[in-house]
Amino acid sequence: MKIPYSYLLVFLLLFSTVSKAQEDDTILKKLEEIAIIDQKVMMPMRDGIRLATDIYRPKTNEKVPIIFSRTPYNFNSWGDGERKTRTAERAYEAVKRGYAYVVQNERGRYFSEGEWDILGVPLTDGYDAFSWMKDQPWSNGKIGTYGCSSTAEWQMAVAALDHPAHAAMVPQGYGAGVGRVGDILEQGNWYRGGVEQLLFFSWLYGVEHDKFKPRIPESATQEDLIRISRFYDLAPENPPVDMSEALKHLPIQDILKNMNGKKEIFDKMVRRKPNHPDWYTGGLYHDDMEIGTPSFWFASWYDVSITPNLALFNHVRNNAKDPEIRDNQYMVIAPTLHCAYTRATENTIVGERSVGDARLNYDEQIYAWWDLWLKGENNDFKEKTPRVQYYTMGKNIWQTAEQWPPKDSKMTTYYLNSDGAANTGNGNGTLSRKKPSKDQPDTFVYDPMNPVTSYGGNVCCTGNAVQGGAFDQQVMEERDDILVYTTDVLQEGVEVTGFIESTLYVSTDVKDTDFTIKLIDVYPDGRAYNLDETIQRARFREGYDKEVFMQEGEVYKIYLTPMATSNYFEKGHRIRIEVSSSNFPRFARNLNTGGDNYDESEGVVATNKIHHSKAYPSQIRLPIRK
């Protein structure tokens, strides 16, 4: 008998729902068999605020080490009347290996008391949590911190407090916690080169809770909290917003207001200049803080903060006062988007580009790290684990090094050149080892009301406004406001692994404007896949503690924040860079007025020039492995 398609579809949906429920039930039963589960424990902080905490620990009389995850995100076991098992799955993996798994909400989030402030939560909360856990009768006094993105960003600054129980950490995708490292000043991904990154404009709309949210009375017992949490998880649900349109609003200080989002935290952050004192009073890590914790760092090539992530690893390796701490820093760099390490497959696609089989035995390595530092096992982690594991796209292989960049990466300079017509992919811009002899500057018009659209890239958290990863840039290179500089066809393969440095000599007819660079791998058939990108606001070219405006007719030297990648340009490929003045909405538009920008709605059109000659050697420096 022929079964109607609609009946079959209903049956398959019902079957998949039942199967998922059975899977959820299975993991919960497996966890209950091996774990003592203690949920909605209200952990006290020194100021009397209590933070909601779930504890999962082995059924044993022995003292156990702790894997601790503190997060602004919702880990409640129930949502919309359904069981949620993500936390249970992570807890099961830890408990079956002999660890307690402790997850806690930051103050002001969900069942935790107090007021939340992005990157402004007191560092003492982390310190107090360590002290409380260390003193529990089931704890062996060793705590490891673990998490990705916002669950990682607090770890570095707290590690600088040097709590004796904080034995090790595994920060992943942690750039939002990095304020300043050397010359790189991003203040937690808010800036790049002095230009606002719009990811937090989008992220805050979805995550910030209203100050008028319902509060659980202090008299509520743990039993009350567990019961309440079954049907009331305190998770707000803002209406969906088309971020590709919302981020176009001007002035940018009103973007959250225009979406009817909660805006108190945003309002104060959007007005801060890159070196404002308030950036140094919250939870961000800055390079004058001493990290005294063994660390296993995880970054990814298409993350929003790959360069500061790698710079921080190097900073700790080179500057920690304790030689044992310097020697116990390890790094993994995957070819994925933000926090997407374990989503790699046999054929990993990042954007449109296949980067091959990018899988790695993450759990095996991480738990060996925990076993070493939290259990004190004399295992072979250090013998088996390279200092740096990085994935080289193009070759599509994992490689290893004892330092970053690899010792055999040598900086090689390529100079920009043209006959004054590098505009579009059909222009005559070149990249060459030879310095140009005379200055024939390339000119383009930057209209902030018609900015270059972000197409792919190293991004996070912008909703539907920007899709991250590698995309064929040929369609973008039809724009006249993009300058394109390309090498000759490579006669042999070239591996570029490390930091990419760039210097531009520029002039303009406005007081202030931005300059962007994008590094690209061009295939023989013309496909042009982006690798990394950066930007610099000209007014901050002499430092982020001052604003120096431009004069028409003057040529200025601008260093851009370094990019980073590991990519093999195969024989027959070409190396390319694109130069422009906007990459929107990844970065905010410069309205070119010389004003504060955040409170402006009208811009002026800029005529910008890139100079290249012996006197003005605009260049990009590539770390090439021989």
Side-chain angles (χ1 to χ4, degrees), residues 335-372:
T336 61
L337 298 174
H338 179 69
C339 291
Y341 310 101
T342 58
R343 296 175 207 162
T345 64
E346 188 175 1
N347 181 30
T348 304
I349 308 293
V350 185
E352 293 177 338
R353 186 188 188 193
S354 170
V355 295
D357 188 349
R359 294 173 294 183
L360 192 68
N361 58 336
Y362 291 106
D363 282 352
E364 179 183 331
Q365 293 193 39
I366 290 170
Y367 275 101
W369 176 256
W370 295 138
D371 290 345
L372 175 65

Side-chain angles (χ1 to χ4, degrees), residues 65 97-99 140 142 369-377:
R97 291 175 169 87
Y99 292 92
N140 78 345
K142 299 290 186 182
W369 176 256
W370 295 138
D371 290 345
L372 175 65
W373 293 105
L374 305 186
K375 290 184 178 179
E377 290 186 4

Side-chain angles (χ1 to χ4, degrees), residues 148 172-174 297-304 306 309-310 331-345 348 350 355-362 388-393 396-399 404 458 531 564-566:
C148 195
Q172 302 174 318
Y174 48 90
W297 309 87
F298 287 79
S300 44
W301 291 130
Y302 284 95
D303 197 355
V304 66
I306 180 60
N309 285 0
L310 298 177
M331 167 73 79
V332 171
I333 316 167
T336 61
L337 298 174
H338 179 69
C339 291
Y341 310 101
T342 58
R343 296 175 207 162
T345 64
T348 304
V350 185
V355 295
D357 188 349
R359 294 173 294 183
L360 192 68
N361 58 336
Y362 291 106
V388 179
Q389 300 169 76
Y390 65 95
Y391 196 85
T392 301
M393 299 171 289
N396 295 346
I397 58 172
W398 283 100
Q399 300 200 85
W404 185 261
N458 315 68
L531 297 168
T565 196
S566 180

Side-chain angles (χ1 to χ4, degrees), residues 191-402:
Y191 284 103
R192 167 72 53 81
V195 183
E196 300 93 343
Q197 303 194 70
L198 296 187
L199 71 95
F200 277 123
F201 292 52
S202 169
W203 186 82
L204 279 168
Y205 173 77
V207 304
E208 190 174 355
H209 293 185
D210 199 281
K211 61 185 176 184
F212 299 114
K213 73 174 184 178
R215 302 284 183 169
I216 305 298
E218 291 185 12
S219 60
T221 66
Q222 184 179 13
E223 182 182 1
D224 291 333
L225 295 175
I226 292 172
R227 186 184 67 256
I228 292 169
S229 71
R230 290 171 61 89
F231 62 88
Y232 194 56
D233 63 1
L234 297 177
E237 296 178 1
N238 272 332
V241 166
D242 181 354
M243 284 296 168
S244 65
E245 290 298 319
L247 295 178
K248 293 178 182 177
H249 184 81
L250 290 173
I252 63 172
Q253 69 176 9
D254 291 338
I255 286 179
L256 266 289
K257 178 182 178 181
N258 190 55
M259 291 188 283
N260 293 313
K262 187 173 183 293
K263 56 187 178 62
E264 284 85 352
I265 292 174
F266 172 82
D267 282 352
K268 65 183 180 182
M269 294 181 73
V270 76
R271 291 173 174 81
R272 290 183 193 170
K273 299 293 177 70
N275 207 38
H276 192 282
D278 285 353
W279 291 116
Y280 301 89
T281 61
L284 288 172
Y285 171 85
H286 296 93
D287 58 12
D288 58 351
M289 303 163 73
E290 174 72 11
I291 287 182
T293 307
S295 308
F296 195 7
W297 309 87
F298 287 79
S300 44
W301 291 130
Y302 284 95
D303 197 355
V304 66
S305 50
I306 180 60
T307 291
N309 285 0
L310 298 177
L312 177 54
F313 168 77
N314 280 348
H315 173 74
V316 180
R317 281 274 290 152
N318 296 330
N319 296 290
K321 294 177 182 177
D322 186 339
E324 184 179 11
I325 297 302
R326 292 198 299 270
D327 190 52
N328 284 292
Q329 306 295 318
Y330 291 80
M331 167 73 79
V332 171
I333 316 167
T336 61
L337 298 174
H338 179 69
C339 291
Y341 310 101
T342 58
R343 296 175 207 162
T345 64
E346 188 175 1
N347 181 30
T348 304
I349 308 293
V350 185
E352 293 177 338
R353 186 188 188 193
S354 170
V355 295
D357 188 349
R359 294 173 294 183
L360 192 68
N361 58 336
Y362 291 106
D363 282 352
E364 179 183 331
Q365 293 193 39
I366 290 170
Y367 275 101
W369 176 256
W370 295 138
D371 290 345
L372 175 65
W373 293 105
L374 305 186
K375 290 184 178 179
E377 290 186 4
N378 187 21
N379 61 16
D380 56 1
F381 176 89
K382 293 185 179 182
E383 289 72 29
K384 288 179 62 176
T385 310
R387 176 76 58 194
V388 179
Q389 300 169 76
Y390 65 95
Y391 196 85
T392 301
M393 299 171 289
K395 282 183 177 177
N396 295 346
I397 58 172
W398 283 100
Q399 300 200 85
T400 65
E402 182 55 30

Side-chain angles (χ1 to χ4, degrees), residues 29 301 424 457 540 554 604:
K29 286 182 178 177
W301 291 130
T424 82
F540 295 117
E554 294 291 320
V604 297

